[in-house]
Amino acid sequence: MVGDVRILVTGATGYMGGRLVPLLTDAGHDVRCLARNVERLTGRFPRALAIEGDLVDDASLRRASEGVAVAYYLVHSMSNLRAFAQRDHDAAARFGRVAHECGVRRIVYLGGLGADGAELSPHLRSRHEVGEVLRQSGPQIIEFRAAMIIGSGSVSFEMLRYLTERLPVMIAPKWVVTRSQPIAIRDVLRYLVAALELRQPDSMIYEIGGADVVTYKEMMLRYARLRGLKRRVIVVPFFTPRLSSYWVHLVTPVPARLAQPLILGLHNEVVVRDRAALRDFPDIDPVGFDEAVLRALDRYRTIGPATTWFDAFDVRTLPSEFSGVREGMLIDRRERIANATPRQVASVFTQLGGKRGWLYGNQLWQLRGLLDRAVGGIGLRRGRRSATDVRLGDAIDFWRVDAYEPDRLLRLRAEMKLPGKAWLEFDAHPIDERRTRLTQTAFFEPRGLFGFLYWYAVAPFHGRIFGKMASQIALLAEHPTEGP
């Protein structure tokens, strides 16, 4: 399999597939993405071919699989409905059969860790069954089995994050003392990519995990320590999985229908027992839990590893007007269409701050600056180095330029006193020769419960200020002479 190959990725709209596709295209491979709704992939992977299709439709599977050497099977149900296992079984059987008929030589599948002989939860049992169904289909199957994946956007990590951030004292069920071997998202991706060049003629099952074996309770306490939070976990025997899922639903953004299968899976000890992965992939040395969390929480890197949080999800998939939670972030997103070029739109948002101000509610911005100075912050007194020029690292009032692409992108990182970390991003994306889509997004990563309370307390002001500011940017791009 060494060299450039044609690859099919199923589940490209999901968490893992969305991270894997850019790695494969960057390596020069010819990548196809199968999706039920290709509009969700529009503009997301410019070097990959999006094919509309469904795992229940032979014809679309055949179109996607023709000429493919390696296929990644990254789909599975996350549901508390009883029929999910049969659906996953049937989808895997159909996919494997069509792949074999089309000459696919290798299928790489990401399943769940857990001992086959144990009383596995329904979802872990289904994940193992899917692997067995694929192995019976004909192509070589490389199955990776992983426990919790630590990465910004992973639903199991988000559940851990929110429980720990929001609850100073946690009344927890007994499953929190079950042993687990979590693994960093970057290490999972390294295994998936390395499977392309694996010189192994037979189907294989590889158990993969990080350097640490920990309980869920230990994970929460270690996460809290890394975030500088004081947390206490009290274990009680009376929480059922259903009751636990409702509690998670109440406290976190993870709905009960997703939380329940995750919690059921936490009853099983998921620890690597077979060391074959370390033998056959000697260049991969998985990191421990603390390092994986630090990478997941790294909000500052603008160049470098693919695990930066800004790649964890595509902001463009959100509604044009959105205020809510994604990937552990509180988000306020505004979208405007301007009858102007990206350069004209960018020329407005790159001149924000300083003497020009913020286009709307300048007195409120000044009040925020005074409050910041009152608590020991820098306030608005720094202004900006140049009224028109922007460089990476520039100070703009109480912001710092965190990322900058001329005529397209500006991301500002807040340096004011906050119970968390905040960014304000502007993106100018061309629609056609005369129109540009302006996307303005405020991100806030709260620190502890007070961080959430702060965000919701100022949300009414944000709702008006951010909405008006986005409208003014579009207006001034269309009519620059009307600006201040």
Side-chain angles (χ1 to χ4, degrees):
M1 297 290 178
V2 179
D4 299 344
V5 296
R6 176 171 289 177
I7 297 168
L8 171 64
V9 177
T10 65
T13 58
Y15 174 70
M16 189 60 62
R19 295 259 183 127
L20 177 65
V21 170
L23 297 179
L24 298 175
T25 56
D26 287 348
H29 298 298
D30 178 5
V31 179
R32 296 176 177 179
C33 301
L34 180 69
R36 282 179 293 184
N37 182 1
V38 293
E39 291 183 358
R40 292 185 61 190
L41 297 177
T42 301
R44 189 172 182 185
F45 308 124
R47 289 173 291 173
L49 175 64
I51 298 177
E52 191 164 59
D54 201 307
L55 294 177
V56 301
D57 177 43
D58 278 25
S60 60
L61 282 178
R62 203 172 300 280
R63 280 197 311 274
S65 300
E66 288 292 346
V68 166
V70 179
Y72 285 88
Y73 195 78
L74 303 176
V75 294
H76 67 277
S77 299
M78 281 297 292
S79 169
N80 56 3
L81 300 177
R82 294 182 179 179
F84 82 90
Q86 188 62 48
R87 286 201 306 270
D88 280 1
H89 177 283
D90 294 345
R94 181 177 290 104
F95 181 83
R97 173 176 55 79
V98 173
H100 181 56
E101 293 170 355
C102 291
V104 176
R105 288 174 283 166
R106 177 177 291 175
I107 296 175
V108 182
Y109 167 59
L110 180 61
L113 190 58
D116 284 314
E119 294 185 7
L120 297 176
S121 71
H123 273 265
L124 284 178
R125 186 166 59 248
S126 174
R127 301 291 291 276
H128 286 204
E129 185 180 77
V130 165
E132 184 57 36
V133 169
L134 290 172
R135 276 187 289 277
Q136 295 173 4
S137 63
Q140 181 197 20
I141 307 300
I142 303 300
E143 177 182 353
F144 292 104
R145 292 181 176 178
M148 177 190 290
I149 295 175
I150 304 296
S152 182
S154 162
V155 65
S156 53
F157 177 66
E158 296 304 333
M159 188 171 79
L160 172 75
R161 181 212 302 269
Y162 277 101
L163 287 172
T164 311
E165 291 278 356
R166 293 189 173 185
L167 300 175
V169 178
M170 289 170 273
I171 308 299
K174 59 183 179 181
W175 50 257
V176 299
V177 297
T178 304
R179 295 198 313 159
S180 175
Q181 195 163 350
I183 184 170
I185 174 64
R186 182 191 296 184
D187 291 328
V188 177
L189 291 168
R190 291 180 68 193
Y191 278 117
L192 292 174
V193 173
L196 287 173
E197 300 183 5
L198 180 65
R199 298 183 182 276
Q200 171 62 254
D202 302 320
S203 292
M204 293 290 295
I205 297 174
Y206 291 108
E207 297 182 349
I208 57 175
D212 298 329
V213 175
V214 290
T215 66
Y216 203 86
K217 176 182 176 181
E218 289 170 334
M219 284 191 276
M220 289 190 287
L221 294 176
R222 287 171 69 165
Y223 176 96
R225 177 173 53 79
L226 292 171
R227 293 280 286 147
L229 302 170
K230 292 183 179 180
R231 294 294 182 262
R232 185 181 179 192
V233 180
I234 302 172
V235 180
V236 296
F238 53 78
F239 267 111
T240 66
R242 175 170 292 184
L243 184 59
S244 298
S245 68
Y246 292 149
W247 176 243
V248 169
H249 179 94
L250 178 66
V251 175
T252 82
V254 180
R257 64 179 177 82
L258 296 183
Q260 188 168 335
L262 289 174
I263 291 169
L264 284 169
L266 292 172
H267 283 75
N268 295 112
E269 185 172 277
V270 282
V271 176
V272 173
R273 291 175 171 81
D274 186 336
R275 313 287 287 180
L278 297 178
R279 178 197 67 210
D280 291 353
F281 300 94
D283 294 334
I284 301 177
D285 185 18
V287 300
F289 176 78
D290 288 5
E291 178 62 24
V293 170
L294 290 173
R295 290 177 180 177
L297 296 176
D298 184 359
R299 312 302 195 182
Y300 291 106
R301 297 179 185 173
T302 56
I303 300 173
T307 53
T308 54
W309 83 272
F310 295 101
D311 294 326
F313 72 104
D314 191 344
V315 174
R316 289 169 296 181
T317 63
L318 297 176
S320 58
E321 296 286 316
F322 177 84
S323 181
V325 183
R326 285 291 188 278
E327 319 294 345
M329 285 283 171
L330 293 160
I331 293 174
D332 185 294
R333 179 184 188 270
R334 310 285 168 162
E335 185 179 287
R336 301 289 185 269
I337 305 300
N339 293 315
T341 65
R343 173 174 289 186
Q344 290 171 320
V345 174
S347 71
V348 180
F349 63 63
T350 54
Q351 295 181 51
L352 291 171
K355 293 182 179 180
R356 186 175 197 184
W358 296 87
L359 302 184
Y360 180 81
N362 279 329
Q363 291 182 337
L364 292 175
W365 286 94
Q366 291 167 4
L367 176 61
R368 183 64 182 87
L370 291 174
L371 292 174
D372 189 54
R373 292 190 66 179
V375 295
I378 54 178
L380 298 179
R381 66 181 183 271
R382 293 190 309 192
R384 53 181 294 159
R385 176 184 56 82
S386 166
T388 57
D389 181 50
V390 170
R391 298 175 186 169
L392 190 66
D394 270 0
I396 298 179
D397 293 343
F398 42 40
W399 304 91
R400 181 78 60 179
V401 177
D402 194 51
Y404 176 58
E405 296 179 27
D407 302 331
R408 193 190 80 79
L409 178 91
L410 174 67
R411 185 164 67 240
L412 305 174
R413 170 167 42 89
E415 294 189 330
M416 64 194 83
K417 294 287 186 178
L418 290 169
K421 300 174 185 176
W423 295 260
L424 182 59
E425 181 177 273
F426 304 90
D427 186 8
H429 185 76
I431 299 174
D432 51 38
E433 292 182 356
R434 298 183 178 180
R435 295 183 302 159
T436 297
R437 177 180 291 107
L438 165 68
T439 303
Q440 174 189 290
T441 313
F443 302 90
F444 183 64
E445 179 196 65
R447 181 180 178 274
L449 181 60
F450 185 64
F452 289 93
L453 296 176
Y454 166 82
W455 174 267
Y456 291 115
V458 299
F461 302 100
H462 285 172
R464 185 164 183 82
I465 291 174
F466 289 147
K468 290 290 187 179
M469 184 167 65
S471 297
Q472 283 295 307
I473 292 172
L475 178 64
L476 292 177
E478 296 174 343
H479 308 286
T481 57
E482 299 180 10

